[in-house]
Amino acid sequence: MGYQGYAGDANRITREYLDSLLIEMRHIGAAVPDTGFKLFGRRFASPIATAALSHLKGREGSGMVEMAQGCARARALCFAGMGDEEELKQMLATGAALIKIIKPYADRGMIASRLRAAKEQGALAVGMDLDHSFDGAGRPDVVLGIPMAPLGREELAAYIAAAGLPFIIKGVLSARDARLAADLGAAGIVVSHHHGILPYAVPPLMALPDIVRAAEGRLKIFVDCGINDGFDVFKALALGADAACVGRVIMGPLEEQGPEGVSGKIEEMTAQLAGAMARTACATLGDLEPGLIRRRDF
């Protein structure tokens, strides 16, 4: 869904907000930075993960499998969106650590079977894409011909409890939902407006500080939407995110170069992040803090 040229285009608003955030340079006590990131018992070379993409075009075969291969090469976390159990199996066979995001299917049996497959096949975590529950007219959504239906709190809590894996809720853009996600037993959230699914949506990094406070350390916090380079990642982490997800910036490299394009883009962005960390005296990701970010008022 896009609103290019429209005043309410959430993607344009998000980009403008990201560009309004400036970085405070610091040099005294600086050290060579370590971009290592730990999640659910696994260590990654970077806090940059792929977004929960679906149906990608690759250079040769399945774009989703090639994306996972690229993540394995870069030692980065891979999210996966829509796709059947065979695709999930092939992605996991690459050795990538993977979080499977499941849509709120009206056929609840599809939810149960995909949760079960993710656990049996060795996914690191699972989650649900709640921001696809409705279409733009407030009706239950239909995605690629498959009907969706919203979940009540009790039903969502039941899926979280039954998953047998850490559960990530995608589509959180408020302190209210962050608190509810933690209360329902979620292990993490993705702060996202799903590439502008709601016109005039709050930019994720604008909502992020309130969300971090509301989470009170109970959730792992990912951010996506408009993350284009390592400096955007730096800003997200400084404002309290644990990791950032990238989507559209890897699509071109994936189509042109396959797995090498994905790993190359993630490594390029990680190098930019490391450069920003070195010039702000941040030796580890834990050293990033909100005081490093200033909002431009000129």
Side-chain angles (χ1 to χ4, degrees), residues 10 15 32 35 61-62 82 116 138 155 170 172 177 272 284 286 289:
R15 184 67 255 165
V32 175
T35 61
S62 165
M82 290 183 79
R116 185 168 54 250
E155 190 177 13
K170 182 175 179 291
V172 171
D177 277 4
Q272 291 171 335
T284 70
E289 50 91 13

Side-chain angles (χ1 to χ4, degrees), residues 49-127:
T50 63
L53 303 172
S54 307
H55 312 296
L56 293 176
K57 294 181 180 179
R59 181 180 56 185
E60 298 177 359
S62 165
M64 295 298 293
V65 175
E66 291 183 12
M67 178 179 73
Q69 291 171 331
C71 286
R73 293 181 186 210
R75 294 169 47 222
L77 177 65
C78 182
F79 278 76
M82 290 183 79
D84 60 23
E85 295 170 16
E86 179 58 30
E87 179 183 86
L88 175 64
K89 182 179 180 180
Q90 292 176 17
M91 293 180 74
L92 285 165
T94 68
L98 190 143
I99 296 178
K100 175 64 174 176
I101 298 296
I102 299 162
K103 291 210 175 326
Y105 298 113
D107 179 352
R108 300 311 202 211
M110 290 180 66
I111 297 176
S113 66
R114 280 162 170 71
L115 287 173
R116 185 168 54 250
K119 182 179 180 182
E120 291 175 351
Q121 294 178 13
L124 181 64
V126 293

Side-chain angles (χ1 to χ4, degrees), residues 153 157 160 169 175-187 214-216 218-219:
R153 295 184 193 180
I160 293 171
I169 295 178
R176 168 196 180 273
D177 277 4
R179 282 191 294 269
L180 288 172
D183 291 344
L184 292 174
E216 297 180 323
R218 296 187 289 167
L219 298 166

Side-chain angles (χ1 to χ4, degrees), residues 123-136:
L124 181 64
V126 293
M128 187 165 287
D129 202 1
L130 292 184
D131 46 20
H132 248 313
S133 298
F134 297 100
D135 67 13

